[in-house]
Amino acid sequence: MKQGTVYTVKQENQQYRVTCLLDAAGLDKKIAGRPVILIKPNLVEALPPPITTPVSLVRAIILYLRKHSQAEILIGEGTASATYDTPHAFEALGYTKLGKELDVPLIDLNHEPCISLKCAKYVRWPEMHLPQIAMESFLLSVPMLKAHSLALVTLTMKNMMGLAPPQHYQQGGGWKKSAFHLGIQDAVADLNRYRTPDFSVLDATLGMAEAHLWGPTCQPPPHILAASDDPVAIDAYGAQLLHKNWQEIGHIKSVHQELGQAAPLTVHEIMTVK
């Protein structure tokens, strides 16, 4: 029987735990021969972690990738804010400085050239427009552990909404991805049918317990970093950390056994030595 697999590590020194986790998850082998790696953090708004992906985590991932690959590394996001665009979030959250320090280009996915993809059987998006760079790169998603008022959770699959260009997915004058609010579970599922992450690193250090932009953090904090090449498995695991049943979350349930395995789920806790 197929099963989902997730690797986890408790918090210690950040670079050390990232190295141990990614080694165990076999990321070095998965990126072998890939010419371009696109790192997709969650920078939905220019708000500090745990709402958004900490720049220190992305820095640690880049250093790991540089050690194991000659690929060109990019950081890409398409922020959803109605009042500013992605470069503002990059600057406010330390990504502009990181890009200069490590010579990593920053890509505003809201304005990248897109390709059109079609599948008549998909319920919400029989046609979808997505950035060509995301379709051609090894896509490494770095989401945060967060509950969501509409989608119930926002983890690695919902993190892919940053790929959606506002010229096609903004309805009215509000939030740049507002078309996703209509039938959000089907919308996230169909998006991932077109493009789901090749690998995910989930920051479950604190976790947002009730909403993705405000409210309390998880109590007690999970203090976990998780990794998987199975987006369904890592989202089912993240839902579990948020005390939610993945079978009640439409976008996870609908792609279970299609894009990955939510259950049975095997979690390998990586033991580290200080």
Side-chain angles (χ1 to χ4, degrees):
M1 179 184 293
K2 291 183 178 180
Q3 62 182 19
T5 303
V6 175
Y7 297 83
T8 70
V9 68
K10 288 288 187 178
Q11 302 287 36
E12 292 177 3
N13 172 273
Q14 188 169 72
Q15 181 58 48
Y16 183 71
R17 73 171 188 266
V18 167
T19 298
C20 291
L21 178 67
L22 300 184
D23 277 347
L27 180 59
D28 56 336
K29 299 177 181 64
K30 300 178 194 304
I31 60 175
R34 297 295 190 114
V36 182
I37 300 171
L38 176 62
I39 299 174
K40 168 62 177 72
N42 182 336
L43 308 181
V44 60
E45 296 270 1
L47 298 170
I51 294 171
T52 53
T53 306
V55 70
S56 58
L57 175 55
V58 172
R59 185 181 191 278
I61 292 170
I62 291 170
L63 293 179
Y64 180 91
L65 296 174
R66 286 263 170 87
K67 182 179 178 181
H68 294 282
S69 172
Q70 298 298 313
E72 180 183 12
I73 300 171
L74 310 171
I75 299 172
E77 175 62 301
T79 191
S81 172
T83 57
Y84 52 78
D85 217 335
T86 311
H88 172 76
F90 282 148
E91 177 67 32
L93 297 172
Y95 283 82
T96 302
K97 181 180 179 181
L98 177 69
K100 292 177 180 176
E101 175 193 351
L102 297 183
D103 192 24
V104 175
L106 306 181
I107 307 297
D108 183 354
L109 297 174
N110 283 344
H111 299 290
E112 279 292 295
C114 289
I115 59 175
S116 175
L117 304 160
K118 296 181 180 181
C119 187
K121 69 179 182 179
Y122 293 168
V123 173
R124 185 66 181 86
W125 305 123
E127 180 178 14
M128 190 142 223
H129 303 270
L130 294 174
Q132 185 170 350
I133 188 66
M135 306 305 295
E136 296 176 348
S137 304
F138 183 92
L139 185 55
L140 200 164
S141 174
V142 193
M144 303 301 289
L145 179 73
K146 299 193 290 183
H148 193 274
S149 56
L150 293 178
L152 301 181
V153 296
T154 172
L155 301 163
T156 203
M157 287 195 287
K158 191 173 176 299
N159 191 35
M160 293 300 96
M161 284 172 55
L163 305 182
Q167 61 265 38
H168 294 285
Y169 300 102
Q170 182 174 5
Q171 293 181 342
W175 185 65
K176 284 191 175 77
K177 323 284 180 170
S178 53
F180 277 82
H181 284 169
L182 179 62
I184 191 167
Q185 301 292 349
D186 287 333
V188 173
D190 279 357
L191 166 59
N192 278 267
R193 289 180 172 112
Y194 287 112
R195 190 60 172 114
T196 201
D198 297 302
F199 193 88
S200 302
V201 179
L202 171 65
D203 187 327
T205 306
L206 294 177
M208 298 291 290
E210 295 180 5
H212 69 300
L213 295 178
W214 58 83
T217 57
C218 295
Q219 297 299 328
H223 291 307
I224 287 171
L225 198 66
S228 181
D229 63 357
D230 184 331
V232 184
I234 202 163
D235 275 13
Y237 175 72
Q240 177 182 314
L241 292 179
L242 291 166
H243 306 291
K244 297 181 185 294
N245 184 348
W246 67 266
Q247 293 180 313
E248 297 175 357
I249 301 170
H251 66 274
I252 300 178
K253 183 179 181 180
S254 65
V255 296
H256 168 55
Q257 297 184 325
E258 178 184 352
L259 300 182
Q261 297 290 130
L265 184 64
T266 297
V267 179
H268 296 284
E269 184 175 345
I270 309 307
M271 304 306 294
T272 61
V273 179
K274 294 184 179 180

